[in-house]
Amino acid sequence: WKGAGKFMTEKPGRRLVWAGRAGYAVLLLALLYAAAVVLFSNLESAWVEKYDELRHAVNAYEMVINDDYLVNTYFGETDYFNLKPPLSMWAIALSYHLAGFTLEAVRLPSAIASFLMLAVGALWLKRRQGAVASLVYVGAMTAFKVLIAGHYARNGDPDALYQLFFTIAMLCMLDSRRNFRWFYGSALCFALAFLTKSW
C-alpha cells in the first residue's frame, strides 16, 4: 500500500511539471512569433534614410558584382570612408545571392541576427534564471522600441550582427565560470563581433 500511495502522489506532480513545460513552450513560441512579425514584416516599407545603410548596401552590391569579397568598393573606387570590417557586408552579399538585389535583402541579416539574439537569450535565461525571466526578456524586448530603433534590427548596417555576437560572447563568458570550455566560445564570438564593428 505504501508503494501505491507514492505512485498516486507522484502522478499529479509529473502532470504539473509537463503542463508547466508545455505552457512555457507555447508562450515562448507565441512571443517569438510576435517578435518575428515585428522584425520581418514589411522590411522594404521604409526608404533608405540612414547613410550607413546605403553605404553598406552599395559595398555589398559591388562585392557581388565584382566578385571580390576582400576589398570593399564604393562606386568602383576602394572605399576608405567605410572602415568597418567586412562581416556585415558579407552577410548582405549572401542575402543578395539568396533574395536578389532588394532593400529587403539588405535588411534581412539584421532582422535574422536580432531574432537569433532573442532566441539565444531566452534559452540561456530559461536555463539559468527560470521560465519567467526568459519570457519577460522576450516580451520586453519585443514590446519596447529598442529592437526596431534606427541602426538596429530593421536596418542594413552592422549593429544587430554585432549585438548578436557580443551577447553570445557575454553569455559564454558567464558560463565559463562553470566550465572553462565556454571561454573559447566567448573568444570566438568576440572575434566575430570585432569583424562586424572593429574597435
Side-chain angles (χ1 to χ4, degrees):
W1 289 102
K2 287 182 180 178
K6 186 178 178 184
F7 176 75
M8 294 294 285
T9 57
E10 280 183 355
K11 206 168 185 182
R14 287 182 184 171
R15 287 182 187 156
L16 285 174
V17 169
W18 282 105
R21 289 178 181 167
Y24 166 75
V26 167
L27 286 172
L28 179 63
L29 289 174
L31 287 170
L32 287 175
Y33 177 77
V37 169
V38 168
L39 290 171
F40 294 104
S41 62
N42 299 322
L43 277 177
E44 292 185 337
S45 63
W47 291 96
V48 179
E49 296 178 8
K50 304 281 190 276
Y51 185 74
D52 291 348
E53 182 179 38
L54 172 65
R55 193 123 197 147
H56 277 81
V58 171
N59 289 151
Y61 172 79
E62 293 191 7
M63 280 182 172
V64 173
I65 295 299
N66 299 331
D67 198 28
D68 182 1
Y69 297 92
L70 294 178
V71 178
N72 55 311
T73 59
Y74 191 75
F75 289 105
E77 300 290 326
T78 303
D79 191 0
Y80 293 111
F81 181 81
N82 186 3
L83 299 177
K84 301 255 186 328
L87 188 59
S88 61
M89 292 173 244
W90 292 341
I92 295 171
L94 176 63
S95 186
Y96 281 150
H97 281 294
L98 297 175
F101 295 112
T102 64
L103 187 53
E104 185 177 24
V106 172
R107 295 172 174 167
L108 189 59
S110 293
I112 291 171
S114 295
F115 184 81
L116 289 175
M117 184 194 70
L118 287 176
V120 167
L123 296 176
W124 188 89
L125 281 168
K126 169 69 169 76
R127 197 176 77 226
R128 293 289 178 235
Q129 302 296 323
V132 173
S134 173
L135 295 173
V136 167
Y137 163 73
V138 177
M141 288 293 287
T142 303
F144 295 135
K145 191 177 178 181
V146 67
L147 193 64
I148 58 169
H151 284 284
Y152 199 62
R154 294 176 56 89
N155 279 77
D157 50 33
D159 292 4
L161 281 170
Y162 169 79
Q163 190 64 47
L164 169 67
F165 294 129
F166 182 76
T167 299
I168 296 173
M170 290 288 100
L171 297 180
C172 288
M173 185 176 285
L174 288 171
D175 279 348
S176 69
R177 290 179 297 178
R178 296 177 175 154
N179 186 339
F180 187 76
R181 284 183 286 181
W182 285 105
F183 184 76
Y184 300 115
S186 179
L188 173 66
C189 288
F190 269 126
L192 292 172
F194 180 84
L195 282 175
T196 59
K197 291 283 282 184
S198 186
W199 52 273

